[in-house]
Amino acid sequence: MKTNRRILSWVALLACGALFGEVGAQRAAQAATTASAGALVQQAERELATHPGQAVLDYERAQLLAPRAPEVREGLARARAAAGLPAQSAGLASRIARTLSPDEWSRVALGALALAALAIVGRPWWRRWALPWAGAALSVALVAGAVAWQSAPRRNDAVVVGASPVARIAPFAAAQPAFVAPEGSAATIEAEHQGYTRIRQGRGVGWVPNSAVAPVIPRS
Amino acid sequence: MKKSSDSRIWTALVVAAGVLAVSSTTFAATPAGATGRSRAPARAALRMQLQTDARSLVVGQAVPVTVRADFLGGTGVTLNGVPRLVSDGFTLAGISDKPRQTEIRRDGLPYTELTWTGVLTAIQAGAPPPAIELPVQLSYREAVSPPAAAPGADADSDSDADAESNPFQSMFAGTPFASDPFFAQMMKGESDPFSHFFQDFGGAIRQRDVTLRDQLARLSVVATPHPAPDGYAGAVGTFHATSSLSPAPFRVGEPMTLTVRVEGQGSFDRLATAGVPSTSGLSTYPPTAAFTAGARPTAGTKVFKQTLVPRQAGSLDIPAVTLVTYDPQRHRYVTQRTRLLAVTVGAAADVAPEAASAVPPANPVAPAAPSTDGRWAGESAVKSLVPAIRQPWFWWAAAALVSVAVLASVLSSAAVRRRAARTFGRLDRRRLVARTRHRLDAAVASGDAPALFGAAREGLQACLSKAWSMPAEAISAVDVDRRLGDRGQRVRDIFERAEACAYGRSGSPRSADLQHWRDLTVRELDALKEAA
């Protein structure tokens, strides 16, 4: 038993070291990816009349930080309406997922995973309850992790912030138009080349100027 | 020239008053029944109707309008666009791309009717009634018709026309049949007994691009009375405005939202308000507007939202919002004012009440947070926009936890536990031997015999205690003799020499002897380390 404790202590020590090292390395890189929901809402309200696409982006970001705030939800609907986009209809699963932010779901998953690990480590002492407890915690971790993974925006998820730019089939101004990307609509960034960004939407794939599209998660 | 009295005309005909343009040629048309020719069935027709009895509109007034296009059954129709307004004094909005299609009967004939609805807005006083156009392509089988002279044409031209339309006429010229009255009548198509038969079966397929057109008969536009009151933005209709504030509590520097909801019928796109003006105790943002269409074309709801930021604690009156419109039914301007809202503003969360009322914020139009209640207090904190699950540390932590769990499961196995115990025991002994060797070297270097033998004995005791599972201090030369026999002779010698040194029974050995004992001890420690 003493040997077990020593092995686990060494593993935990190494894991903590790696974790803190990683967090420290990330902290500086994430300075540009931080914001407050309040500031984002103010910014969105200022942009709503003139740049509804930017307002949609700000509200999308604010919703990542304050998913339960009705002001953010209503503001996003107003911004989408101002951009001429149809109203979003949220199903039951979507409403449940929005009770917590993707970050909160992630932390719930990690906490549940920690409880599951604790139950497995403590199995010699809690023989009766260890496995049921570990199973329940692991289930919670898997569900919360799946919701977080699904609801968290990807690094290449973006919003069209330009005034309904024309997406072209090649990255230069004289290229043939492919489709018009509505302002405020969601897009996926696929590549960048000489001032143009290749985006994918339901309408197809096309190149728009870099300034016409912005990622939901700002680049650090 | 005498014309046939039962001739049929199947080219584009119109049943309603208006103008029909065919292939860039425009013909004036009159309603069906007005003349003998217009009694023929119309192949296509366009009509625009206002859904109101008004014959006069004011500038800015919006009325629903219906545009109908009728096409005779059997006619192939391709729409080349949607109905477009031809007028500088009106605008047409809300016309859908896909019209409603119904089958109707008119004068006993089947027609396909396409219907669009929209909103017609008058924008210029004195403008003539608007016209509407619909570009279409018609495909139909044109019936064979006998040569017909245009009204007013002379006899020579009639003869030429006859010759062109009937190539057989010249073939019979100069023959005895030419003077025959029966043939002459037949060549001119008069009273031809087979003419109707060929008209029904011998027509050619025709395809024409046609622009159908219609114009409202009577509709005048008048200007609103002058001068207009301040705040009038051009909205005409009947509206009702209400206002409300976001829920309390209110604090200095924290925004509140004033919502003005306007319901009614009219030109909502011209409905605007400046909102609440800034005062010494209140900073304001320009209002934003959102429109929701109602069931009827010109009905709906427009919601204005304005952000207000209190600058002073205490009682605060939110001024009424003024909305100026023109009522076309009562023919006068209407000024509506929402109710005055009295609220109590608390001090800022981190400022004492006295300070809050005395010192206005440095930047009153840039509040610290958009909150209207306590829930938002925590949302002003700066957080990362990257969810944890998208960050590497999350996966490192998850991997560490899974590793710990897996490791714990594996270690619960007894065999693994024993193997691990042996491994750790061996590691401990190696560390012990290394430490002892270090002490021995130090003792040799300093010529300290008691320290040398003391370190040698302690090292050997520690090694043997790991192997024999007994306390190190309890291991003596007797135990070594009993357990190891002859193999423990050198260890026993070291123990005895250590005892002698400890109690001063031995003289100081030479340095060469110390080195010898040091080497001997190291050899024994190495042997014990591996053997155990």
Side-chain angles (χ1 to χ4, degrees):
Chain A
M1 210 55 69
K2 183 182 174 187
T3 307
N4 284 0
R5 280 203 298 273
R6 290 172 63 175
I7 292 173
L8 290 175
S9 300
W10 274 107
V11 170
L13 197 63
L14 287 173
C16 287
L19 193 62
F20 281 108
E22 181 65 29
V23 169
Q26 293 280 320
R27 192 170 295 278
Q30 286 178 1
T33 63
T34 56
S36 77
L40 286 169
V41 170
Q42 287 177 41
Q43 192 174 322
E45 286 298 323
R46 282 196 295 271
E47 300 275 2
L48 190 59
T50 53
H51 302 98
Q54 184 65 45
V56 170
L57 175 66
D58 290 334
Y59 272 122
E60 292 275 7
R61 288 173 175 172
Q63 200 168 39
L64 289 177
L65 304 179
R68 294 175 294 281
E71 291 88 346
V72 175
R73 201 165 49 245
E74 292 165 6
L76 179 58
R78 276 191 292 120
R80 288 181 59 84
L85 299 173
Q88 286 180 315
S89 56
L92 179 63
S94 178
R95 285 202 299 273
I96 292 173
R98 285 182 191 171
T99 54
L100 296 177
S101 70
D103 190 68
E104 290 166 339
W105 279 115
S106 307
R107 289 169 196 278
V108 167
L110 203 57
L113 193 61
L115 288 177
L118 186 67
I120 291 172
V121 171
R123 192 176 162 197
W125 297 280
W126 312 315
R127 288 187 180 280
R128 187 173 177 186
W129 298 106
L131 282 183
W133 182 251
L138 197 60
S139 301
V140 171
L142 288 175
V143 170
V147 174
W149 180 258
Q150 188 63 30
S151 58
R154 274 71 175 169
R155 291 274 182 185
N156 55 355
D157 284 350
V159 172
V160 177
V161 295
S164 297
V166 175
R168 301 182 183 279
I169 61 171
F172 51 89
Q176 191 177 345
F179 59 92
V180 174
E183 185 172 8
S185 60
T188 303
I189 293 176
E190 291 193 333
E192 288 186 26
H193 180 71
Q194 292 186 348
Y196 280 80
T197 301
R198 191 173 72 204
I199 61 169
R200 177 180 290 278
Q201 284 192 322
R203 299 163 185 79
V205 180
W207 293 86
V208 297
N210 282 349
S211 59
V213 65
V216 175
I217 297 175
R219 285 171 186 161
S220 54
Chain B
M1 165 101 193
K2 183 181 176 183
K3 292 195 297 183
S4 172
S5 61
D6 61 344
S7 63
R8 295 182 184 180
I9 297 174
W10 285 98
T11 49
L13 296 175
V14 182
V15 293
V19 176
L20 171 63
V22 180
S23 299
S24 75
T25 304
T26 303
F27 300 94
T30 54
T35 67
R37 176 173 292 191
S38 64
R39 293 183 65 82
R43 188 166 297 281
L46 183 69
R47 288 173 292 152
M48 177 167 61
Q49 292 176 327
L50 297 182
Q51 294 179 16
T52 175
D53 295 332
R55 292 298 174 207
S56 176
L57 304 179
V58 296
V59 173
Q61 186 173 358
V63 291
V65 67
T66 303
V67 178
R68 289 189 174 89
D70 297 338
F71 300 97
L72 184 63
T75 305
V77 179
T78 303
L79 296 180
N80 290 334
V82 295
R84 58 172 182 260
L85 201 67
V86 184
S87 174
D88 293 333
F90 293 85
T91 61
L92 181 63
I95 288 284
S96 62
D97 290 338
K98 293 180 179 177
R100 185 164 50 87
Q101 182 173 335
T102 54
E103 302 295 329
I104 63 169
R105 293 192 76 82
R106 176 178 298 146
D107 297 334
L109 295 174
Y111 279 84
T112 298
E113 185 172 79
L114 306 181
T115 305
W116 292 265
T117 57
V119 176
L120 186 71
T121 305
I123 59 173
Q124 183 181 347
I132 195 155
E133 289 182 348
L134 177 65
V136 296
Q137 186 182 65
L138 301 178
S139 304
Y140 56 92
R141 182 179 295 277
E142 189 176 53
V144 174
S145 60
D154 58 26
D156 291 337
S157 62
D158 280 352
S159 301
D160 295 340
D162 288 347
E164 286 176 9
S165 62
N166 190 350
F168 298 103
Q169 193 173 14
S170 61
M171 195 171 70
F172 288 102
T175 66
F177 297 106
S179 58
D180 190 309
F182 174 77
F183 275 95
Q185 186 182 14
M186 196 174 71
M187 287 300 109
K188 289 179 180 294
E190 295 175 354
S191 303
D192 179 3
F194 304 107
S195 63
H196 293 297
F197 178 83
F198 288 113
Q199 281 173 2
D200 291 342
F201 292 96
I205 298 293
R206 292 283 187 160
Q207 193 173 64
R208 286 186 175 177
D209 289 322
V210 176
T211 300
L212 304 178
R213 182 184 171 98
D214 187 28
Q215 187 166 26
L216 288 176
R218 297 183 303 277
L219 186 62
S220 61
V221 181
V222 297
T224 51
H226 187 77
D230 291 340
Y232 178 64
V236 178
T238 52
F239 304 100
H240 177 66
T242 56
S243 66
S244 62
L245 265 181
S246 51
F250 307 113
R251 292 184 182 280
V252 171
E254 294 183 356
M256 60 180 82
T257 303
L258 175 66
T259 303
V260 178
R261 183 183 179 87
V262 185
E263 296 176 328
Q265 192 169 359
S267 49
F268 274 98
D269 55 338
R270 290 170 167 242
L271 188 66
T273 178
V276 174
S278 291
T279 63
S280 60
L282 192 67
S283 296
T284 64
Y285 288 95
T288 58
F291 175 67
T292 306
R296 288 178 291 179
T298 56
T301 303
K302 197 165 190 175
V303 177
F304 297 93
K305 283 184 180 287
Q306 187 177 21
T307 302
L308 316 175
V309 185
R311 299 170 63 183
Q312 294 178 358
S315 297
L316 177 67
D317 290 338
I318 308 294
V321 175
T322 304
L323 207 68
V324 183
T325 59
Y326 183 82
D327 190 337
Q329 294 174 349
R330 292 189 283 177
H331 303 288
R332 65 182 178 84
Y333 291 103
V334 176
T335 300
Q336 293 188 60
R337 290 184 178 82
T338 60
R339 63 193 172 96
L340 186 141
L341 301 168
V343 298
T344 302
V345 179
D350 54 348
V351 179
E354 308 79 25
S357 58
V359 183
N363 184 6
V365 296
S371 64
T372 55
D373 52 32
R375 190 185 62 257
W376 272 83
E379 305 297 352
S380 60
V382 174
K383 299 177 189 172
S384 172
L385 285 168
V386 187
I389 202 165
R390 301 275 184 241
Q391 300 190 37
W393 69 261
F394 175 89
W395 297 104
W396 278 108
L401 289 170
V402 170
S403 302
V404 168
V406 170
L407 206 56
S409 298
V410 171
L411 290 178
S412 62
S413 159
V416 172
R417 208 161 47 232
R418 279 196 300 273
R419 198 176 302 129
R422 279 201 299 273
T423 303
F424 277 101
R426 196 175 297 125
L427 289 175
D428 276 352
R429 286 193 295 276
R430 285 180 183 174
R431 198 167 63 245
L432 182 67
V433 169
R435 195 167 59 235
T436 304
R437 184 178 295 182
H438 180 73
R439 290 176 63 191
L440 292 175
D441 289 341
V444 170
S446 61
D448 188 353
L452 173 75
F453 288 106
R457 183 175 62 180
E458 286 175 14
L460 290 168
Q461 280 177 325
C463 269
L464 291 172
S465 79
K466 298 279 184 189
W468 297 344
S469 299
M470 61 185 294
E473 311 81 53
I475 298 175
S476 62
V478 178
D479 296 318
V480 172
D481 192 33
R482 192 176 67 242
R483 288 190 179 235
L484 297 180
D486 292 339
R487 290 188 294 117
Q489 179 61 44
R490 283 190 288 273
V491 176
R492 198 172 58 243
D493 290 346
I494 293 170
F495 274 40
E496 288 170 352
R497 188 59 73 104
E499 292 254 345
C501 283
Y503 295 105
R505 290 179 301 188
S506 165
S508 295
R510 294 175 292 122
S511 61
D513 291 338
L514 290 180
Q515 186 64 40
H516 164 74
W517 284 108
R518 180 261 175 203
D519 295 341
L520 188 66
T521 305
V522 168
R523 274 201 301 275
E524 289 303 316
L525 283 172
D526 287 341
L528 284 174
K529 175 183 73 179
E530 298 305 325

